[in-house]
Amino acid sequence: MIVMIDYDAGNTCSVMNALDRLEADYILSSDPAEIQSADKVIFPGVGHAGAAMEALKRKGLVDVIKGLKQPVLGICVGMQLMVEQSEEGDTNCLGVVPGVVKRFEHSEDHNVPHIGWNTTMKKSDDPLFENIEDQSYFYYVHSYYMPENEYCIASSHYDVTFAAAIRKDNFWGIQFHAEKSSKLGAQLISNFLKIND
Amino acid sequence: MLTKRIIPCLDIKNGRTVKGVNFVNLRDAGDPVELAKKYAEVGADELVLLDISATIEERETIYELVKRVGAQVDIPFTVGGGIASVEKVAHILRNGADKVSVNSAVVYRPILAKEISDEFGAQCLVVAIDARQVDGEWLVHTHGGSKPTELKLFDWAEEMQSKGAGEILFTSMDHDGTKAGFACEALAMMNERLTIPVIASGGAGSMDHFVDVFTKGKADAGLAASVFHFDEIGLSELKGYLRQKNIEVRI
């Protein structure tokens, strides 16, 4: 069973729509036991990192997520919450991946938020990017980013090079919105659903 | 590299797409979901659904439509038209839209922009501004551009940015419907003043107008309705043309 973590993340509905289009069997849940017994966990996220962490604390899910052993896919803020800290509201995050999330600085040719379709460079042969070519376009919308690090499996560039996708052990994260990235986004989600099967 | 976005806008009335020029001689153009899917398939980067329904009863149909578009369309879409409360925004986002656009309502109550941004994040708030030049000054207009206000365009855009807008959708009423090109000078000035992305609207008539809006106008995205609806410009053809002109687009 695939479980999507229910903590009122802004893109919950969009991710559900994407899963429905793939005819995936999933449930939406904030119940620790259900999340812990899932085959795979999807961790959505849009909005403010601080507010998102508060919502996870309220629902008693911080330690639950940190302790997960099955494949977990964090999307956008879901990925950003995996690090130790975010500059957004100076938020202490889950810390399953080392690092700090920073804010983009505005420059003449780089408005913030970073919104739109950007090329995404594969950094390793991870199953998440199977059948997805290097330099493919995915849809991004964010003001904060994770700098490139050793867990980076794909990167993108917007004034600075940043982590487009990461993997540490069973935790995967994507900065872009696969659920809104047309056919390649669907391919990526479908790849995640096939991991370990 | 981040690509420039091409955004078709669908005018919605009572749950159906309508086509017309400047909201005049509207005729039914079918199911918005089918049109949205078609645009997504030929390379639209995002979509805007603008509800131009006149009555409250007609406007209620937008929720069902948002749900259907969200289920079937796999690119981001924004919903605008008659949005004046945080509750309505919540309802539209929960039904599957990615962003909302607000226009007249924030002119009357600017704090609404902050309320929406605080509640749902800047990324889902597009502030739409209709303006035209009056005695050499760009002034904001409401109600589809029919009612003038005292607000100066660039100051207003800055204020909306400071209240938490994630993007500005600027329509030049002087250019809208003319098919003579976008308001590139004003757009470039707006980009100069703001730090958030600007979506340009009003005046698209040829593929070169899109080249201009991205080069001279410095816009992040170009929005148009009739040139796409009446097949005057094909989306994939446009993107090929832009790429030839060294403008980064998603193909």
Side-chain angles (χ1 to χ4, degrees), chain B residues 2 18 23 25 37 48 51 68 79 118 123 129 143 170 178 198-199 206 212 216 228 237 244 248:
Chain B
L2 180 66
V18 288
F23 301 150
N25 296 326
K37 273 165 73 177
V48 169
D51 188 8
R68 289 174 54 225
V79 175
D118 285 352
Q123 82 291 332
I129 306 177
H143 296 86
F170 164 44
T178 64
V198 175
I199 304 166
S206 74
D212 290 345
K216 296 177 191 153
F228 298 133
E237 192 192 354
Q244 259 180 40
E248 197 83 14

Side-chain angles (χ1 to χ4, degrees), chain A residues 86-125:
Chain A
S86 171
E87 281 185 4
E88 188 172 22
D90 281 327
T91 305
N92 287 320
C93 303
L94 298 168
V96 293
V97 179
V100 175
V101 164
K102 297 174 177 302
R103 188 175 164 88
F104 281 120
E105 277 180 44
H106 167 260
S107 68
E108 199 196 327
D109 293 323
H110 298 89
N111 290 321
V112 180
H114 168 226
I115 301 182
W117 299 78
N118 203 335
T119 36
T120 302
M121 282 73 75
K122 284 162 65 163
K123 310 276 287 180
S124 66
D125 273 328

Side-chain angles (χ1 to χ4, degrees), chain A residues 165-185:
Chain A
I166 54 160
R167 178 190 179 177
K168 182 173 185 287
D169 308 321
N170 58 316
F171 289 94
W172 279 263
I174 50 174
Q175 178 60 67
F176 50 84
H177 289 275
E179 74 278 16
K180 283 289 166 179
S181 292
S182 197
K183 290 182 183 65
L184 291 177

Side-chain angles (χ1 to χ4, degrees), chain A residues 10-11 13-14 17-18 20-21 46-48 51 103 106-121 135 137-143 156-158 177-184 186, chain B residues 1-5 40-41 44-46 67 69-77 93-99 120-124 165-167 191-192 194-198 218 220 243 248-251:
Chain A
N11 59 341
C13 180
S14 298
N17 280 329
D20 288 339
R21 284 193 291 269
V46 161
H48 193 280
R103 188 175 164 88
H106 167 260
S107 68
E108 199 196 327
D109 293 323
H110 298 89
N111 290 321
V112 180
H114 168 226
I115 301 182
W117 299 78
N118 203 335
T119 36
T120 302
M121 282 73 75
Q135 311 269 332
Y137 291 109
F138 288 96
Y139 187 83
Y140 294 80
V141 47
H142 57 130
S143 300
S156 187
H157 191 81
Y158 191 60
H177 289 275
E179 74 278 16
K180 283 289 166 179
S181 292
S182 197
K183 290 182 183 65
L184 291 177
Chain B
M1 202 173 156
L2 180 66
T3 59
K4 298 293 187 181
R5 288 171 281 157
E41 272 158 26
D45 294 306
E46 284 181 33
K67 204 176 269 181
V69 173
Q72 297 188 49
V73 175
D74 57 9
I75 59 168
F77 69 102
L93 295 178
R94 253 186 247 124
N95 276 279
D98 301 282
K99 316 179 201 180
F120 308 102
Q123 82 291 332
C124 75
E167 290 171 277
N191 184 59
E192 186 80 12
L194 300 182
T195 61
I196 57 176
V198 175
K218 311 260 183 206
D220 293 278
R243 186 171 273 189
E248 197 83 14
V249 286
R250 176 181 69 110
I251 291 181

Side-chain angles (χ1 to χ4, degrees), chain A residues 76-90:
Chain A
C76 193
V77 170
M79 159 174 142
Q80 295 188 354
L81 293 183
M82 289 177 173
V83 300
E84 292 162 303
Q85 220 202 357
S86 171
E87 281 185 4
E88 188 172 22
D90 281 327

Side-chain angles (χ1 to χ4, degrees), chain A residues 1-3 19 23-27:
Chain A
M1 177 64 80
I2 298 149
V3 175
L19 291 170
E23 296 178 356
D25 198 10
Y26 67 93
I27 56 165

